Amino acid sequence: MGTTYLAYDFPLLSAFWTMLWFFLWILWFILLFRIIVDIFRDDDMGGWGKAGWLAFVILLPFLGVLVYVIARGKSMGGREIKHARAQQQAFDDYVRETASGGTAAARPSHADELARLSELRTRGDITEEEFRRAKALVLGDDAPSASATTAADTGTGTGTGATSRQ
């Protein structure tokens, strides 16, 4: 009479089968949670549809997951890509906003910019003419005032201008 050897009769095969089942269970739970997240992420499905799929996946997990992957597996990837792109866009917008000086509340106000310009004029870093031009730009005037332009054209201004200093 011959004896039958099972995989568990050999210690190395026993460890292999144990590890295989362990990783299959981990894979199963990852798939189950991804499907549950996909059910909630789908904007096209209504509340009753989400409730039905969720009940099916939770009450009959193996059959529910198998049917969900067959019925809606192709669109799962599309929703995952859409979500990843939305996250990347939000991150890019955050980086751009932070790099450009933050929100509008964090940007200096007109009063802050005028105070800084006044301080530069007081220290002598800019001339009166440069101060007037910069003040006009800060206050929203696209062109400097007429008197400042004529003074610069006739050469009667007190300074040589920022472009001639460089």
Coordinates of all heavy atoms in Angstrom, one line a residue, residues 70-104:
I70 N -16.7 42.5 -13.9 CA -17.2 42.2 -15.2 C -18.0 43.3 -15.8 O -17.9 43.7 -16.9 CB -17.9 40.8 -15.2 CG1 -17.0 39.7 -15.0 CG2 -18.6 40.6 -16.6 CD1 -17.7 38.3 -14.7
A71 N -19.0 43.8 -15.0 CA -19.9 44.8 -15.5 C -19.3 46.2 -15.6 O -19.6 46.9 -16.5 CB -21.2 44.8 -14.6
R72 N -18.5 46.6 -14.6 CA -18.1 48.0 -14.6 C -16.5 48.1 -14.5 O -16.0 49.2 -14.2 CB -18.7 48.7 -13.4 CG -20.2 48.7 -13.4 CD -20.9 49.3 -12.3 NE -20.3 50.6 -11.9 CZ -20.7 51.8 -12.5 NH1 -21.6 51.8 -13.4 NH2 -20.1 52.9 -12.1
G73 N -15.8 47.0 -14.7 CA -14.4 47.1 -14.6 C -13.7 48.0 -15.6 O -12.7 48.6 -15.2
K74 N -14.2 48.1 -16.8 CA -13.6 48.9 -17.8 C -13.6 50.4 -17.4 O -12.7 51.1 -17.6 CB -14.3 48.7 -19.1 CG -13.5 49.3 -20.3 CD -14.2 48.8 -21.6 CE -13.4 49.3 -22.8 NZ -14.0 48.9 -24.0
S75 N -14.8 50.8 -16.9 CA -14.9 52.2 -16.5 C -14.2 52.5 -15.2 O -14.0 53.7 -14.9 CB -16.4 52.6 -16.4 OG -17.0 51.8 -15.5
M76 N -13.8 51.5 -14.4 CA -13.1 51.8 -13.2 C -11.8 52.5 -13.4 O -11.4 53.4 -12.8 CB -12.8 50.5 -12.4 CG -13.9 50.0 -11.5 SD -13.5 48.4 -10.7 CE -12.2 48.9 -9.6
G77 N -11.0 52.0 -14.5 CA -9.8 52.6 -14.8 C -9.9 54.1 -15.2 O -9.1 54.9 -14.9
G78 N -11.0 54.4 -16.0 CA -11.3 55.7 -16.4 C -11.5 56.7 -15.3 O -11.0 57.8 -15.2
R79 N -12.3 56.2 -14.3 CA -12.6 57.0 -13.1 C -11.3 57.2 -12.3 O -11.1 58.3 -11.7 CB -13.7 56.4 -12.3 CG -15.1 56.6 -12.8 CD -16.1 56.1 -11.9 NE -16.1 54.6 -11.7 CZ -16.7 53.8 -12.6 NH1 -17.3 54.2 -13.7 NH2 -16.6 52.5 -12.3
E80 N -10.5 56.2 -12.2 CA -9.2 56.3 -11.5 C -8.3 57.3 -12.1 O -7.7 58.2 -11.4 CB -8.5 54.9 -11.4 CG -7.3 54.9 -10.6 CD -7.5 55.0 -9.1 OE1 -8.6 54.7 -8.6 OE2 -6.6 55.5 -8.4
I81 N -8.2 57.3 -13.4 CA -7.4 58.3 -14.2 C -8.0 59.7 -14.0 O -7.2 60.7 -13.8 CB -7.3 57.9 -15.7 CG1 -6.4 56.6 -15.8 CG2 -6.7 59.0 -16.5 CD1 -6.4 56.0 -17.2
K82 N -9.3 59.8 -14.1 CA -9.9 61.1 -13.9 C -9.6 61.7 -12.5 O -9.3 62.9 -12.4 CB -11.4 61.0 -14.1 CG -12.2 62.3 -14.0 CD -13.7 62.0 -14.2 CE -14.5 63.2 -13.9 NZ -16.0 62.9 -14.0
H83 N -9.7 60.8 -11.5 CA -9.4 61.3 -10.1 C -8.0 61.7 -10.0 O -7.7 62.7 -9.3 CB -9.8 60.2 -9.2 CG -9.6 60.5 -7.7 ND1 -10.3 61.4 -7.0 CD2 -8.6 60.0 -6.9 CE1 -9.9 61.5 -5.8 NE2 -8.8 60.7 -5.7
A84 N -7.1 60.9 -10.6 CA -5.6 61.2 -10.5 C -5.3 62.5 -11.2 O -4.5 63.3 -10.6 CB -4.8 60.1 -11.1
R85 N -5.9 62.8 -12.3 CA -5.7 64.0 -13.0 C -6.3 65.2 -12.2 O -5.6 66.3 -12.2 CB -6.4 64.0 -14.4 CG -5.6 63.2 -15.4 CD -6.2 63.2 -16.7 NE -5.4 62.4 -17.6 CZ -5.8 61.8 -18.7 NH1 -7.1 62.0 -19.1 NH2 -5.0 61.1 -19.5
A86 N -7.4 65.0 -11.6 CA -8.0 66.1 -10.8 C -7.1 66.4 -9.6 O -6.9 67.6 -9.2 CB -9.4 65.7 -10.3
Q87 N -6.5 65.4 -9.0 CA -5.6 65.6 -7.9 C -4.3 66.3 -8.3 O -3.8 67.2 -7.7 CB -5.2 64.3 -7.2 CG -6.2 63.8 -6.2 CD -5.7 62.5 -5.5 OE1 -5.0 61.7 -6.1 NE2 -6.1 62.3 -4.3
Q88 N -3.8 65.9 -9.5 CA -2.6 66.6 -10.0 C -2.9 68.0 -10.4 O -2.1 68.9 -10.1 CB -2.1 65.8 -11.3 CG -0.8 66.4 -11.8 CD 0.4 66.2 -10.9 OE1 0.5 65.2 -10.2 NE2 1.2 67.2 -10.8
Q89 N -4.1 68.3 -10.9 CA -4.4 69.7 -11.3 C -4.5 70.5 -10.0 O -4.1 71.7 -10.0 CB -5.7 69.7 -12.1 CG -6.1 71.1 -12.5 CD -5.1 71.7 -13.5 OE1 -4.6 71.0 -14.3 NE2 -4.9 73.0 -13.3
A90 N -5.2 70.0 -9.0 CA -5.3 70.7 -7.7 C -3.9 71.0 -7.1 O -3.7 72.1 -6.6 CB -6.1 69.9 -6.7
F91 N -3.0 70.0 -7.2 CA -1.7 70.2 -6.7 C -0.9 71.3 -7.5 O -0.3 72.2 -6.9 CB -0.9 68.9 -6.7 CG 0.5 69.0 -6.2 CD1 0.8 69.2 -4.9 CD2 1.6 69.0 -7.2 CE1 2.2 69.3 -4.5 CE2 2.9 69.1 -6.8 CZ 3.2 69.3 -5.4
D92 N -1.0 71.2 -8.8 CA -0.4 72.2 -9.7 C -0.9 73.6 -9.4 O -0.1 74.6 -9.3 CB -0.6 71.9 -11.1 CG 0.2 70.6 -11.5 OD1 1.1 70.2 -10.8 OD2 -0.1 70.1 -12.6
D93 N -2.2 73.7 -9.2 CA -2.8 75.0 -8.9 C -2.3 75.6 -7.6 O -2.0 76.7 -7.4 CB -4.3 75.0 -8.9 CG -4.9 74.7 -10.2 OD1 -4.2 74.9 -11.2 OD2 -6.1 74.3 -10.3
Y94 N -2.2 74.7 -6.6 CA -1.7 75.1 -5.3 C -0.2 75.5 -5.4 O 0.1 76.6 -4.8 CB -1.8 73.9 -4.3 CG -1.1 74.1 -3.0 CD1 -1.6 75.0 -2.0 CD2 0.2 73.5 -2.7 CE1 -0.9 75.2 -0.8 CE2 0.8 73.8 -1.5 CZ 0.3 74.6 -0.6 OH 0.9 74.8 0.6
V95 N 0.6 74.8 -6.1 CA 2.0 75.2 -6.3 C 2.1 76.5 -7.0 O 2.9 77.4 -6.5 CB 2.8 74.1 -7.0 CG1 4.2 74.6 -7.4 CG2 2.9 72.9 -6.2
R96 N 1.3 76.7 -8.0 CA 1.4 78.0 -8.7 C 0.9 79.2 -7.8 O 1.5 80.2 -7.8 CB 0.4 78.0 -10.0 CG 1.2 77.7 -11.2 CD 0.3 77.8 -12.5 NE 0.4 76.6 -13.2 CZ -0.5 75.6 -13.2 NH1 -1.7 75.8 -12.6 NH2 -0.3 74.5 -13.8
E97 N -0.1 78.9 -7.1 CA -0.6 80.0 -6.2 C 0.4 80.3 -5.1 O 0.6 81.5 -4.8 CB -2.0 79.5 -5.5 CG -2.6 80.6 -4.6 CD -3.8 80.1 -4.0 OE1 -4.6 79.4 -4.7 OE2 -4.1 80.4 -2.8
T98 N 1.0 79.3 -4.5 CA 2.0 79.5 -3.5 C 3.2 80.2 -4.0 O 3.8 81.1 -3.4 CB 2.3 78.1 -2.8 OG1 1.1 77.5 -2.4 CG2 3.3 78.3 -1.7
A99 N 3.7 79.8 -5.2 CA 4.9 80.3 -5.8 C 4.7 81.8 -6.2 O 5.6 82.6 -6.2 CB 5.3 79.5 -6.9
S100 N 3.4 82.2 -6.5 CA 3.2 83.5 -7.0 C 2.9 84.5 -5.9 O 2.6 85.6 -6.1 CB 2.1 83.5 -8.0 OG 0.8 83.2 -7.4
G101 N 3.0 84.0 -4.7 CA 2.8 84.9 -3.5 C 1.6 84.6 -2.7 O 1.2 85.4 -1.9
G102 N 0.9 83.5 -3.0 CA -0.2 83.1 -2.1 C -1.5 83.7 -2.6 O -1.7 84.2 -3.7
T103 N -2.5 83.8 -1.7 CA -3.8 84.3 -2.0 C -3.8 85.8 -2.1 O -2.8 86.5 -1.8 CB -4.8 83.8 -0.9 OG1 -4.3 84.4 0.3 CG2 -4.8 82.3 -0.8
A104 N -4.9 86.3 -2.5 CA -5.0 87.8 -2.6 C -4.8 88.5 -1.3 O -4.3 89.6 -1.2 CB -6.4 88.1 -3.2

